[in-house]
Amino acid sequence: MKLVNIHKLLLLMLFLLLKMEIASGQVWTLKQCIDTALVHNNNLESGRNSIAIGKEREKEAKAHLLPKVTANADYKYFTDLPYQLMPLSTFNPAASEGQFNEIQFGVPHNINANLQIALPLYSADINGAIRNTKLALELSELKYQKSEEEVYYEISNLYYNAKIISHQLNFVKANLKNAEKLLENLQSLKDEKLATGTDVSKIELQVSQLKNQEQNLSYKYGQINNALKFTMGVSLDLNMEIETDIRFEESLQEESGIILDYQIAKTQEQLIQSEISTLNQSRFIPNVNLVGSYGTTGFGYDQSPNEFLKFFPMSFVGLQLSYPIFNKGVTKRKLKQKQFELENNALQQELISEANAMKIENAEMQKDMTKKSLLTTEEQIALAQKIYNESLLQKNEGLVNLTEVLLAENALREAQQANLTAIIDYLKADLELKKLRGNIRNINY
């Protein structure tokens, strides 16, 4: 999975296109909002940085396989030359055993310079670190996909809410316009003694209520619009309008895609298994390094008349083995911790699988219910509209009073609101089902 590499060119192209679209001030589609969020959302940007960090850590772990070369140099001036005890028989064969004579060795000036090389032939820690960083990178990429899915879901949810508020606002404005027109007619009828003051007051109350509802919906639309901009990662000052058309074509039955929560848990399991393997290998297999050194050693004497400074080569190659004999049971304790982590991970996978199956079943029932509600509210709108039209005709003919007309109009408004609510509930249920099945990217734009 190389998501960042795949996204780099696409994100650059999207960024340029979105800049042009922002400047043009056109109506934003759901796809444009999601594409903008994929470029500008701070959580996704943080996720891309985490993936880049994971790649660098993997490279760092692999770099430990390369030979390490160090240059060393030191100079020592001995104000007191070191002493050593020599058997006295070395100088006097007749001397008895157990007698020694102290002797100073060396010269005051000592110079050492060398290059040292160390190449790991086998190291459980290095091999384990490479495996772990690779799995950690896969985990970061899965979490990035999870963040993308959350952005898809959140943007779509906010977009649908903004749509429903926009339609509610349009209904209220249309009803307010009709109410103001009716109020004007009643005022004329009242002046001609054909309508009562009570009838006028009822319509005035309705106009006041509709104006208050319009104001509240306008504020609510602004709040949702700001939340949408924030999630997209654009400025709150951006003048943005959304598409108001509502399309709720039933999507075809889709097979479940990758459930990222479960995939993340599986990758975490692999990471724990890798850590256990590394700990076991470090217990029983020694680390092996190829080592070597090439340099020179200098000796100097500065007392007349025998001053000198001489250098002598010194080099070696060899193998270095490192094997832990006793570390106070630290590795054993770490292994027990990892076993508990493995058990918790298995429980987590089981929980994710069962919870997801339950949520999918509930979401399917919710979608079926909202679909039936959608059909019912469409029938109710047609019936309420018919009743309202007939009430107006009967009112003009003096067959019914104003109260019945107002009741018919309220029933029509309630049917309209119920239909909008059913539509948005259906869209949200479908969105939730796609999210649970791992198909959130297949949104009906």
Side-chain angles (χ1 to χ4, degrees):
M1 293 178 287
K2 302 295 182 184
L3 292 175
V4 172
N5 292 334
I6 295 174
H7 286 155
K8 280 182 179 178
L9 183 58
L10 291 176
L11 291 176
L12 178 60
M13 295 174 64
L14 285 172
F15 179 78
L16 295 175
L17 289 172
L18 292 170
K19 282 289 187 181
M20 296 173 62
E21 289 168 357
I22 291 172
S24 65
Q26 65 184 35
V27 175
W28 289 65
T29 64
L30 175 57
K31 186 177 187 306
Q32 288 171 330
C33 291
I34 291 176
D35 289 342
T36 302
L38 293 178
V39 177
H40 297 287
N41 185 272
N42 288 334
N43 288 334
L44 294 183
E45 181 64 26
S46 177
R48 288 191 286 271
N49 290 337
S50 296
I51 292 176
I53 291 172
K55 288 184 176 182
E56 293 303 319
R57 285 177 177 167
E58 184 181 12
K59 292 177 182 177
E60 177 188 353
K62 290 180 178 179
H64 287 289
L65 293 174
L66 300 175
K68 295 177 178 59
V69 180
T70 57
N72 303 292
D74 68 77
Y75 166 76
K76 296 177 183 177
Y77 175 76
F78 288 93
T79 56
D80 290 304
L81 292 175
Y83 283 84
Q84 182 59 273
L85 296 179
M86 296 288 291
L88 193 58
S89 60
T90 303
F91 305 99
N92 183 6
S96 60
E97 187 176 351
Q99 292 183 314
F100 298 90
N101 191 22
E102 64 275 9
I103 298 176
Q104 285 183 296
F105 279 102
V107 292
H109 302 277
N110 283 258
I111 302 173
N112 291 288
N114 60 69
L115 290 175
Q116 292 184 346
I117 184 171
L119 176 64
L121 300 181
Y122 176 81
S123 172
D125 293 334
I126 293 177
N127 294 339
I130 293 173
R131 289 195 307 269
N132 294 347
T133 53
K134 184 176 181 180
L135 289 169
L137 177 59
E138 289 184 17
L139 196 59
S140 295
E141 290 174 341
L142 286 171
K143 288 181 178 179
Y144 179 81
Q145 290 184 61
K146 178 69 175 176
S147 296
E148 276 194 335
E149 287 195 352
E150 289 173 354
V151 167
Y152 271 82
Y153 182 82
E154 191 171 356
I155 292 290
S156 300
N157 202 20
L158 289 170
Y159 197 88
Y160 292 157
N161 282 329
K163 273 192 175 187
I164 199 72
I165 297 299
S166 177
H167 278 268
Q168 288 175 337
L169 195 56
N170 289 337
F171 279 141
V172 169
K173 287 179 178 178
N175 292 331
L176 178 60
K177 184 177 180 180
N178 292 334
E180 288 176 338
K181 185 176 180 181
L182 181 58
L183 178 61
E184 183 180 346
N185 292 336
L186 284 175
Q187 289 282 9
S188 300
L189 292 174
K190 180 185 176 184
D191 294 340
E192 297 174 4
K193 309 297 184 180
L194 297 177
T196 66
T198 303
D199 290 338
V200 174
S201 297
K202 289 179 181 179
I203 301 302
E204 287 177 341
L205 176 61
Q206 186 183 45
V207 168
S208 177
Q209 290 173 336
L210 287 171
K211 285 182 178 180
N212 184 61
Q213 190 177 0
E214 179 187 16
Q215 186 180 45
N216 291 338
L217 287 172
S218 296
Y219 286 143
K220 192 172 182 180
Y221 180 83
Q223 291 172 345
I224 295 176
N225 199 275
N226 285 338
L228 183 61
K229 294 174 189 176
F230 176 78
T231 308
M232 290 166 56
V234 298
S235 172
L236 296 180
D237 296 330
L238 175 66
N239 184 16
M240 186 180 78
E241 296 294 332
I242 65 168
E243 279 189 337
T244 56
D245 293 341
I246 296 180
R247 297 186 294 272
F248 52 93
E249 297 88 353
E250 185 177 2
S251 58
L252 299 176
Q253 182 71 25
E254 298 173 336
E255 295 184 0
S256 294
I258 297 176
I259 309 302
L260 288 176
D261 285 334
Y262 184 79
Q263 192 66 33
I264 288 171
K266 288 293 292 182
T267 305
Q268 288 172 336
E269 177 192 4
Q270 295 174 13
L271 183 57
I272 296 171
Q273 292 281 18
S274 176
E275 291 172 345
I276 291 175
S277 176
T278 301
L279 288 171
N280 282 323
Q281 290 174 6
S282 66
R283 292 176 68 190
F284 303 113
I285 304 177
N287 293 332
V288 182
N289 293 322
L290 175 66
V291 295
S293 176
Y294 177 79
T296 183
T297 299
F299 300 100
Y301 185 73
D302 58 355
Q303 299 297 321
S304 299
N306 298 316
E307 302 96 334
F308 69 87
L309 179 62
K310 295 182 180 181
F311 290 91
F312 304 92
M314 183 181 67
S315 61
F316 70 86
V317 293
L319 290 176
Q320 183 184 67
L321 274 71
S322 174
Y323 182 78
I325 302 298
F326 178 70
N327 66 350
K328 301 180 181 179
V330 172
T331 303
K332 184 178 179 181
R333 299 291 176 265
K334 288 182 178 179
L335 283 169
K336 285 190 175 181
Q337 294 172 31
K338 293 301 173 183
Q339 289 297 336
F340 285 123
E341 290 181 17
L342 207 56
E343 292 177 13
N344 285 341
N345 182 268
L347 293 173
Q348 183 184 10
Q349 290 184 44
E350 183 180 357
L351 179 62
I352 289 172
S353 181
E354 293 177 354
N356 199 70
M358 178 270 293
K359 291 178 180 178
I360 286 177
E361 185 175 349
N362 288 346
E364 287 175 342
M365 289 191 292
Q366 177 71 13
K367 185 177 178 181
D368 289 340
M369 182 184 70
T370 54
K371 182 181 178 182
K372 293 176 182 177
S373 177
L374 185 59
L375 297 174
T376 301
T377 54
E378 287 175 350
E379 295 173 357
Q380 290 174 347
I381 286 178
L383 181 59
Q385 185 67 56
K386 179 181 178 182
I387 293 173
Y388 177 68
N389 292 338
E390 290 177 352
S391 298
L392 285 178
L393 291 175
Q394 292 173 352
K395 175 67 174 68
N396 293 334
E397 295 174 0
L399 299 177
V400 297
N401 57 30
L402 180 62
T403 301
E404 294 189 26
V405 175
L406 294 177
L407 289 174
E409 185 182 13
N410 286 334
L412 176 59
R413 287 208 306 267
E414 289 175 0
Q416 292 170 340
Q417 295 283 55
N419 179 252
L420 287 176
T421 301
I423 291 173
I424 201 68
D425 287 344
Y426 178 86
L427 291 173
K428 288 183 177 180
D430 183 66
L431 185 66
E432 180 70 17
L433 198 54
K434 288 180 182 295
K435 177 185 177 183
L436 293 170
R437 285 176 172 164
N439 298 317
I440 190 67
R441 300 167 193 272
N442 300 331
I443 297 174
N444 295 327
Y445 294 113

